[in-house]
Amino acid sequence: MDMEGFEDENPFEQDAEHIPSESSSLSKVAIFEPSSSPPPHSGALSPSSPPPHQPLRGPESHRHGATSNRTDFCCTRDRYLHANDDAEIAIVDALKTSVNSTSPYITYVIRTGDAEARHRYSEFESLRESLSKLYPTLIIPPIPSKQTLGDYAVKQAKAKEDAALIARRKRMLQTFLNRLARHPILSTEHVFHRFLDGEVSWHEVLNSPPISLLPKNILKAPSHNPTDQNAIQAYAALPNPSAAHPLRRADQRFLDSEAFTVKFANHVSGPMEKVTRRVVKRWSDYAQDHADLGATLNGFSLNEHNELASAIEKTGQAVDATYVSTTKLASPISVQ
């Protein structure tokens, strides 16, 4: 797949004179610093006591390893994520259950160090939505989409139990959590830490600060700290812009970026996805042919004697090995 065209059209590559200096960027951030400093951090390791929500930090917090020297951990999950260089979040299982529900659903078992939490897909959605509101100026990593109506029409009641769909979701949700854990700002958010803690009720987290302090309309809140209660009255007077209203003087850089993103997304979800499915199907058919040929050769070897039987048997074993290798090659791609 030739991707050089996308590289040449990248709107983010600009000349040096068009990139604002670090000092000018820092000065803009300083304008929006809250007038009152947040209360001092207690540094307690209790997973159930959330710290006061901190405003967004400046660009210096995005440097690699900015949190490696931290000592004021808010909880045990925070300590695990930032005190261990090899910290990894793993979704170890997907179980069917009907706890607190009239219908069965899939719950994903999340392991973070020695802690284990269980969450369903809708709770991953609410985590991402909450982080998007708490940090409106950051790009929150994506999660896999829900099943489409076509999936339910084809597989009906078996759609949620499809092994390939569950395996794909496990992989993508695990990637989502680890991307949050590696983010210099999102990894320090206590809401994220409580999501990883199996002893905390996620419903309680969604109805407690800082999420409960968010305004209904996130556009009427300061972007550097949407939970700032001192700014509610000032931002409440702002007009509510319509999403359908076109910009009068749109920056050409953003227009180019949007066009590039749409073109890239259409390319990935269109031809590339079709080619991948076709390749996986051909590999699967190829593997099945080798499985049938290996079984035939192994059965044929039983009807012969001496060196010929041994040669046919070894040929069948080689074909069986090709079947196993091809299946192993196609399996990871089929769940992506």
Side-chain angles (χ1 to χ4, degrees):
M1 189 65 65
D2 186 8
M3 303 298 292
E4 293 182 358
F6 291 104
E7 201 168 324
D8 296 335
E9 300 174 12
N10 191 343
F12 298 103
E13 294 182 357
Q14 302 175 2
D15 298 333
E17 61 267 16
H18 296 292
I19 300 176
S21 63
E22 185 177 357
S23 59
S24 63
S25 176
L26 292 176
S27 63
K28 291 182 180 179
V29 174
I31 295 176
F32 298 95
E33 288 296 330
S35 57
S36 58
S37 58
H41 197 285
S42 61
L45 295 180
S46 174
S48 60
S49 57
H53 187 260
Q54 301 291 337
L56 292 183
R57 293 169 285 181
E60 67 277 359
S61 63
H62 289 269
R63 292 195 301 265
H64 178 70
T67 58
S68 58
N69 296 326
R70 287 182 55 212
T71 57
D72 55 335
F73 302 108
C74 65
C75 62
T76 52
R77 302 282 75 75
D78 189 18
R79 178 185 295 276
Y80 172 80
L81 293 177
H82 296 100
N84 300 291
D85 295 335
D86 56 346
E88 189 75 14
I89 302 174
I91 297 184
V92 296
D93 204 354
L95 306 174
K96 184 178 179 181
T97 181
S98 57
V99 178
N100 300 327
S101 177
T102 57
S103 59
Y105 59 90
I106 300 297
T107 180
Y108 298 91
V109 182
I110 308 168
R111 183 169 297 167
T112 311
D114 57 351
E116 191 173 278
R118 300 189 179 192
H119 292 287
R120 57 191 302 178
Y121 175 81
S122 60
E123 293 174 336
F124 282 89
E125 277 189 315
S126 60
L127 169 64
R128 188 180 187 278
E129 181 181 0
S130 300
L131 293 177
S132 299
K133 292 181 178 179
L134 289 172
Y135 300 94
T137 60
L138 297 182
I139 298 177
I140 310 300
I143 61 174
S145 59
K146 292 182 177 180
Q147 295 106 328
T148 63
L149 293 178
D151 294 330
Y152 286 102
V154 174
K155 300 180 181 178
Q156 298 181 1
K158 298 297 182 180
K160 289 186 178 180
E161 302 175 10
D162 184 74
L165 174 65
I166 295 175
R168 178 176 180 271
R169 277 194 172 180
K170 282 177 57 179
R171 180 185 63 83
M172 297 187 70
L173 291 175
Q174 178 176 301
T175 301
F176 165 71
L177 294 176
N178 281 288
R179 291 183 68 180
L180 293 180
R182 291 190 294 267
H183 196 281
I185 294 179
L186 300 177
S187 62
T188 62
E189 174 56 55
H190 193 58
V191 172
F192 173 50
H193 303 156
R194 300 180 79 184
F195 184 84
L196 301 176
D197 195 330
E199 302 299 326
V200 177
S201 169
W202 183 241
H203 178 74
E204 177 184 346
V205 176
L206 294 177
N207 292 277
S208 60
I211 299 178
S212 62
L213 299 178
L214 290 169
K216 293 182 179 180
N217 188 353
I218 199 63
L219 296 177
K220 294 188 175 183
S223 59
H224 66 279
N225 187 7
T227 61
D228 186 1
Q229 300 300 297
N230 298 326
I232 289 182
Q233 295 181 354
Y235 281 83
L238 294 176
N240 187 15
S242 173
H245 184 74
L247 297 178
R248 295 181 180 179
R249 292 181 295 272
D251 194 317
Q252 187 61 36
R253 294 175 299 175
F254 291 103
L255 297 178
D256 295 341
S257 174
E258 182 181 16
F260 170 80
T261 304
V262 171
K263 183 178 179 181
F264 183 80
N266 291 337
H267 185 81
V268 172
S269 61
M272 185 176 295
E273 184 177 0
K274 292 180 181 178
V275 170
T276 301
R277 290 180 179 178
R278 188 162 61 247
V279 169
V280 171
K281 183 179 184 304
R282 289 179 177 177
W283 278 351
S284 300
D285 295 341
Y286 180 73
Q288 186 59 44
D289 290 342
H290 277 78
D292 297 340
L293 178 59
T296 302
L297 290 174
N298 290 331
F300 181 42
S301 66
L302 300 177
N303 298 324
E304 299 297 335
H305 304 283
N306 303 327
E307 291 82 0
L308 180 58
S310 178
I312 296 176
E313 182 181 5
K314 289 182 180 179
T315 304
Q317 292 174 354
V319 172
D320 289 338
T322 304
Y323 157 72
V324 173
S325 300
T326 306
T327 303
K328 186 177 180 180
L329 178 65
S331 179
I333 302 178
S334 63
V335 300
Q336 291 181 359

